[in-house]
């Protein structure tokens, strides 16, 4: 399979390469693209040196089978249709195509079948949404969902290199360049832009993408998304109201057996999901599973995932892997 990485010099782009090295997608040719600034840069992949090229309208003229895009929404908006028209399957990490009715939005453990109904563009969901889909699908399958409340605690790596720099430079006393306020000693209830309804765009991504992935277009959902001074891995508190009653033992059992998810739920031993434990891994950690005593048939739990791996690069590579017997 001929693979291209768009945004190869970025945080997610680098992680695409790392994950492609770890897994066994057969790559016959690899092309790396970024902006003009990075053209000529050398990058090592499986002990072979590759040269980063400037992304142009002609970049897809060489029979590329799959392009993993993570170079921002504007680049995706412009170049994904060009690639798709030339027969390349685009797996796009930006938000540009996620809510397009003709574009599947896929978390392979949850809705892999949707991926095959594509017009050469498949969208990778928002990072905090991806990690929540696994436990929510597990609950939806068994009990049905009535309402969801998300509260996120999102790492600065979700903003790319510039987010990490605001935290590391901020710890040295420097002023922020990316966030509107210092991220050091702060929690910023502001991710992406504010919308007319008072929510942020990130919060509405969680609402709309969850409905699309779970195929529950009218599910009541609310979200508050917060950036916290953590380098990597997002944590999310979820409250889910279910259609049918449940037992905690049964829910723990369902979570334990769901693919891609590990139950870490032994509070008596101070064991619960932590960002530092999720980082570097592809599995989603779930714990603090408890009955919400303020509402009937409601459950609270805590979900942590590496936002650069499963929240972005791993999920995209898993989507590509769905096609490994179709595209060679
Ligand atoms: P470059 O390094 O040349 O700027 P991050 O999210 O970590 O900031 O990474 C963004 C990625 O997207 C980088 O690889 C960056 O390349 C790439 N990128 C940004 N703008 C463009 C563009 N107009 N065309 C191609 N790649 C781009």
């Amino acid at each position: 399979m001929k693979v291209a990485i768009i945004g190869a010099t970025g945080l997610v782009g680098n992680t695409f390469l790392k994950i492609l090295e770890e897994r066994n997608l057969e790559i016959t040719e690899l092309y790396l693209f970024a902006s003009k600034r990075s053209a000529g840069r050398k990058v090592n992949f499986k002990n072979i040196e590759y040269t980063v090229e400037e992304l142009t309208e002609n970049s897809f003229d060489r029979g590329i089978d799959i392009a993993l895009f993570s170079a921002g929404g504007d680049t995706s908006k412009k170049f994904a249709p060009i690639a798709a028209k030339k027969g390349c399957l685009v797996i796009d990490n930006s938000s540009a195509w996620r809510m397009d009715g003709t574009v599947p939005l896929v978390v392979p453990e949850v809705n892999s079948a949707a991926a095959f109904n594509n017009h050469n563009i498949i969208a990778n969901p928002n990072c905090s949404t991806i990690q929540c889909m696994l436990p929510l699908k597990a609950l939806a399958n068994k009990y049905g969902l009535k309402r969801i409340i998300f509260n996120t605690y999102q790492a600065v790596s979700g903003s790319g290199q510039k987010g990490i720099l605001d935290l590391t430079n901020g710890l040295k006393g420097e002023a922020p360049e990316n966030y509107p306020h210092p991220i050091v000693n702060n929690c910023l209830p502001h991710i992406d832009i504010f919308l007319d309804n008072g929510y942020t765009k990130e919060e509405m991504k969680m609402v709309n993408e969850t409905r699309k992935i779970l195929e529950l277009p009218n599910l009541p959902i609310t979200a508050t998304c917060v950036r916290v001074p953590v380098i990597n891995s997002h944590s999310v508190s979820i409250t889910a109201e279910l259609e049918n009653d449940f037992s905690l033992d049964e829910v723990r059992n369902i979570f334990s057996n769901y693919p891609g998810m590990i139950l870490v739920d032994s509070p008596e031993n101070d064991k619960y999901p932590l960002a530092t434990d999720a980082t570097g891994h592809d599995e989603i950690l779930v714990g603090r599973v408890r009955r919400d005593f303020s509402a009937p048939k409601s459950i609270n739990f805590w979900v942590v995932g590496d936002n650069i791996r499963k929240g972005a690069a791993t999920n995209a590579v898993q989507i590509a892997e769905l096609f490994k017997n179709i595209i060679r």
Side-chain angles (χ1 to χ4, degrees):
M1 169 184 299
K2 295 184 192 175
V3 174
I5 295 182
I6 319 302
T9 51
L11 211 51
V12 174
N14 264 311
T15 311
F16 280 144
L17 288 167
K18 208 188 297 173
I19 285 162
L20 287 170
E21 279 191 320
E22 291 169 11
R23 300 172 78 105
N24 54 5
L25 192 69
E26 201 184 310
I27 299 177
T28 51
E29 289 174 33
L30 178 68
Y31 298 97
L32 305 181
F33 297 102
S35 77
K36 198 173 179 175
R37 291 179 291 276
S38 308
R41 238 171 89 173
K42 305 289 181 204
V43 172
N44 200 287
F45 177 75
K46 292 192 174 171
N47 294 323
I48 298 172
E49 195 174 72
Y50 290 83
T51 304
V52 176
E53 300 173 54
E54 179 189 356
L55 180 68
T56 70
E57 299 193 3
N58 301 324
S59 298
F60 302 95
D61 290 348
R62 350 174 172 174
I64 293 168
D65 297 306
I66 292 194
L68 304 173
F69 271 67
S70 191
D74 291 343
T75 304
S76 293
K77 256 185 214 144
K78 177 169 175 196
F79 288 97
I82 295 173
K85 211 168 167 187
K86 292 182 177 165
C88 172
L89 178 63
V90 171
I91 301 173
D92 182 36
N93 194 50
S94 81
S95 60
W97 298 98
R98 289 180 191 150
M99 296 313 297
D100 185 304
T102 66
V103 173
L105 185 63
V106 177
V107 179
E109 295 89 344
V110 173
N111 64 338
S112 60
F116 298 100
N117 188 16
N118 72 73
H119 299 279
N120 278 354
I121 303 179
I122 299 175
N124 211 36
N126 163 269
C127 45
S128 35
T129 307
I130 288 179
Q131 67 185 62
C132 298
M133 292 306 95
L134 282 70
L136 286 171
K137 181 65 177 174
L139 293 174
N141 285 346
K142 178 74 185 172
Y143 307 106
L145 294 171
K146 212 166 164 192
R147 182 180 180 226
I148 301 168
I149 303 169
F150 292 121
N151 287 287
T152 74
Y153 304 69
Q154 296 182 222
V156 292
S157 61
S159 314
Q161 303 279 13
K162 52 196 190 310
I164 296 180
L165 281 174
D166 260 21
L167 177 53
T168 51
N169 291 339
L171 287 166
K172 293 184 231 155
E174 292 176 27
E177 288 187 6
N178 175 54
Y179 300 121
H181 302 283
I183 187 68
V184 173
N185 281 332
N186 264 336
C187 297
L188 308 180
H190 176 182
I191 302 184
D192 211 325
I193 55 171
F194 282 101
L195 303 173
D196 289 346
N197 67 358
Y199 283 71
T200 61
K201 198 169 168 194
E202 182 83 354
E203 289 159 354
M204 291 313 295
K205 284 178 205 166
M206 290 199 77
V207 171
N208 294 323
E209 294 180 23
T210 297
R211 288 176 173 160
K212 179 166 175 174
I213 296 163
L214 297 179
E215 295 177 44
L216 296 169
N218 301 314
L219 185 66
I221 306 175
T222 188
T224 302
C225 291
V226 181
R227 188 75 68 193
V228 296
V230 166
I231 292 280
N232 196 58
S233 288
H234 293 345
S235 304
V236 185
S237 162
I238 303 182
T239 298
E241 192 179 341
L242 307 178
E243 294 283 357
N244 296 299
D245 206 3
F246 60 91
S247 84
L248 289 176
D249 281 348
E250 191 176 51
V251 168
R252 289 196 184 96
N253 193 32
I254 289 168
F255 282 170
S256 297
N257 290 311
Y258 199 86
M261 194 158 70
I262 297 175
L263 181 75
V264 185
D265 199 20
S266 163
E268 63 284 10
N269 299 311
D270 298 338
K271 295 259 189 273
Y272 30 75
L274 292 175
T276 45
D277 290 336
T279 290
H281 299 280
D282 290 324
E283 293 82 6
I284 298 308
L285 308 180
V286 61
R288 295 295 321 278
V289 179
R290 64 205 190 278
R291 192 170 281 278
D292 172 0
F293 55 60
S294 72
K297 299 178 194 163
S298 287
I299 188 166
N300 293 317
F301 51 98
W302 179 247
V303 185
V304 182
D306 185 325
N307 52 298
I308 300 296
R309 289 182 68 101
K310 181 59 180 165
T314 303
N315 198 73
V317 172
Q318 286 175 316
I319 295 172
E321 286 171 348
L322 297 173
F323 294 88
K324 70 179 169 195
N325 295 323
I326 300 170
I327 305 170
R328 283 170 193 266

